[in-house]
C-alpha cells in the first residue's frame, strides 16, 4: 500500500545516514568525490554537477510526493522549465500555453526559446475550443508538441481542468505539462489526472521558508527522464547541495503548512468580500469563483494565494500594497511569512503591454502561517487608508 502523503514527505529519500546513524541525512557540501582507483566510484558518486547525495534525497522525495517515478531538481523553477523544454522538444516544435502563465515562463518561452526555434501561442486554457484550435494550428514550422498550463494560475487564480486538457494533449500527440507551483503536491497531483510532466518552482511552497531557490521536474516516462537527466548533467543548472538540503527540510512539513495556508486564506478571502473597497476577490475557495467546483474536485483544498482587485483602481491597489506591516512587500510566495505583491510592476512587469498583462488594480497575497487575526487586522488598517 502506498503510504500517506505526510509519511512520504518525512521518510522518502530520508533514511538515516548508514555510517553514523545521523537521523537527518547529512548535507554533502562537496563538488567532487574520491575514487578508489581510476573510475572506481563509491556508490556511483563522481562529480557534483552530475550527482550529489543531498540532491538525490530531494529528487526521491519530490518523485514520491508527486506520484512519479523520476524527480529532477534544479537551481530555479525557470532552470527546470528550460531543461525540460530543451530535453523534450527540438527547434521547429510548437508550444501552446495558458494566456496567464507566470511572466517568467512566458518570457522564457517567448524570448529565449523562440530564438532557438520553438514557436508558441498563448490561449485561454478554460476555453476547450480555443485550446483545440491552437493545438491543431501548430506553429509556422511545426506541430504542437507541448501544452503548458498553470492551475491555479499566477496571479489570476484561474482553474483549468487537468484531465480534460490531458485528453486534448493525448489526441494531438502532445505532452501536457502542469506547473503545480501554486497548489503544491499536497493539494494536487497532475500526473494522477493524466498530465505527462509536472514542474515546480520549489522556491515557493515546497521549500516553504523563503530561504532557498530551486525548481523541479517530476514524471514517470523512462525515455523522457533519460533525456532530462542528460540535459541536467550536460548543462548543469542543478540545485546546489545547501539549497537541496534546505528544500528537503522544508518539504517535510508541506502537508501541515498547506492546511494552515488554506484555512488562513479562506478566512481572509471571506473577510475581504465584506469590504466595500474591494471590487473582486479571486480565490478558488469562494463559492462564486468560476473554478470553485472544479477546484473542489481536482484539489484537496484551495491553497494560500489570493488576488484582490480594488474599486479605487491602480492608486488604491498601490496604497494597500505599501501600507501593510505583517504582510511584507516582496516578490515570491509560498513561504511561512505573508507576502504582499503588486504583480503589474513586480512579478509580472515582464509581461506589461502583452496579452498577459495583469490588471493594475490587483494585488496578490501570499497568505502565511501567522495568526489569522493579526493578518486580518493588518489588512484592515491598510484598507482603512483608502
Ligand atoms: C516563481 C514561479 C516560477 C519560476 O520559478 P523560479 O524559482 O523563480 O525560477 C514558475 N512558475 C510559477 C507559477 C512561479 O510562481
Amino acid at each position: 500500500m502506498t503510504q500517506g502523503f505526510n509519511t512520504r514527505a518525512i521518510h522518502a529519500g530520508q533514511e538515516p545516514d548508514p555510517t553514523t546513524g545521523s537521523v537527518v541525512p547529512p548535507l554533502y557540501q562537496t563538488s567532487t568525490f574520491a575514487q578508489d582507483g581510476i573510475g572506481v566510484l563509491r556508490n556511483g558518486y563522481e562529480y557534483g554537477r552530475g550527482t550529489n547525495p543531498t540532491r538525490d534525497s530531494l529528487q526521491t522525495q519530490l518523485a514520491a510526493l508527486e506520484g512519479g517515478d523520476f524527480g529532477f531538481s534544479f537551481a530555479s523553477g525557470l532552470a527546470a522549465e528550460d531543461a525540460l523544454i530543451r530535453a523534450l522538444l527540438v527547434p521547429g516544435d510548437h508550444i501552446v500555453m495558458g494566456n496567464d502563465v507566470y511572466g517568467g515562463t512566458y518570457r522564457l518561452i517567448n524570448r529565449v526559446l523562440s530564438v532557438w526555434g520553438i514557436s508558441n501561442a498563448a490561449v485561454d486554457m478554460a476555453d476547450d475550443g480555443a485550446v483545440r484550435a491552437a493545438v491543431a494550428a501548430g506553429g509556422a514550422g511545426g506541430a504542437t508538441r507541448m501544452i503548458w498550463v498553470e492551475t491555479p494560475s499566477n496571479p489570476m487564480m484561474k482553474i483549468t481542468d487537468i484531465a480534460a486538457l490531458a485528453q486534448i494533449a493525448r489526441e494531438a500527440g502532445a505532452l501536457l505539462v502542469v506547473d503545480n507551483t501554486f497548489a503544491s503536491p499536497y493539494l494536487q497531483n497532475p500526473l494522477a489526472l493524466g498530465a505527462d510532466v509536472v514542474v515546480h518552482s520549489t522556491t515557493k511552497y515546497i521549500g516553504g521558508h523563503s530561504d532557498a531557490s530551486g525548481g523541479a521536474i517530476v514524471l514517470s516516462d523512462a525515455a523522457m527522464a533519460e533525456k532530462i537527466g542528460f540535459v541536467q548533467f550536460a548543462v548543469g543548472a542543478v540545485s546546489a547541495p545547501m539549497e537541496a538540503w534546505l528544500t528537503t527540510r522544508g518539504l517535510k512539513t508541506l502537508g501541515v503548512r498547506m492546511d494552515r495556508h488554506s484555512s488562513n486564506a479562506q478566512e481572509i478571502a471571506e473577510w475581504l468580500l465584506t469590504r466595500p473597497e474591494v471590487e473582486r476577490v479571486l480565490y478558488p475557495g469562494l463559492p462564486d469563483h468560476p473554478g470553485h467546483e472544479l477546484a473542489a474536485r481536482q484539489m484537496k483544498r484551495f491553497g494560500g494565494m489570493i488576488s484582490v482587485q480594488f474599486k479605487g483602481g491602480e492608486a488604491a491597489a498601490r496604497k494597500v500594497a505599501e501600507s501593510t506591516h505583517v504582510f511584507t512587500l516582496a516578490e515570491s510566495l509560498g513561504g511561512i511569512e505573508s507576502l504582499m505583491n503588486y504583480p503589474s510592476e513586480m512579478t509580472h512587469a515582464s509581461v506589461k503591454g502583452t496579452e498577459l498583462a495583469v490588471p493594475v488594480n490587483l494585488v496578490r497575497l501570499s497568505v502565511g502561517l501567522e495568526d489569522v487575526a493579526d493578518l486580518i487586522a493588518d489588512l484592515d488598517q491598510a484598507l482603512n487608508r483608502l
Side-chain angles (χ1 to χ4, degrees), residues 76-78 81 102 105 150 154 179 181-182 201 203-204 214 333:
S76 72
L78 286 174
E81 295 180 12
Y102 173 67
T105 300
E150 261 174 54
N154 178 7
D179 181 336
T181 298
F182 263 41
S201 168
T203 313
K204 318 292 171 53
L333 61 107

Side-chain angles (χ1 to χ4, degrees), residues 174-259:
L175 297 170
L176 175 62
V177 178
V178 177
D179 181 336
N180 203 27
T181 298
F182 263 41
S184 89
Y186 180 67
L187 298 183
Q188 175 172 279
N189 295 122
L191 298 179
L193 296 167
D196 298 288
V197 186
V198 174
V199 298
H200 280 282
S201 168
T202 64
T203 313
K204 318 292 171 53
Y205 285 109
I206 285 182
H209 295 71
S210 306
D211 55 8
S213 290
I217 302 172
V218 181
L219 76 170
S220 286
D221 183 279
M224 290 197 285
E226 194 181 335
K227 292 181 182 177
I228 293 165
F230 175 73
V231 170
Q232 184 192 40
F233 166 68
V235 178
V238 293
S239 46
M242 183 68 178
E243 305 291 277
W245 189 86
L246 285 168
T247 306
T248 61
R249 177 187 158 111
L251 191 39
K252 292 173 189 172
T253 54
L254 181 65
V256 288
R257 285 189 282 110
M258 291 315 294
D259 277 333

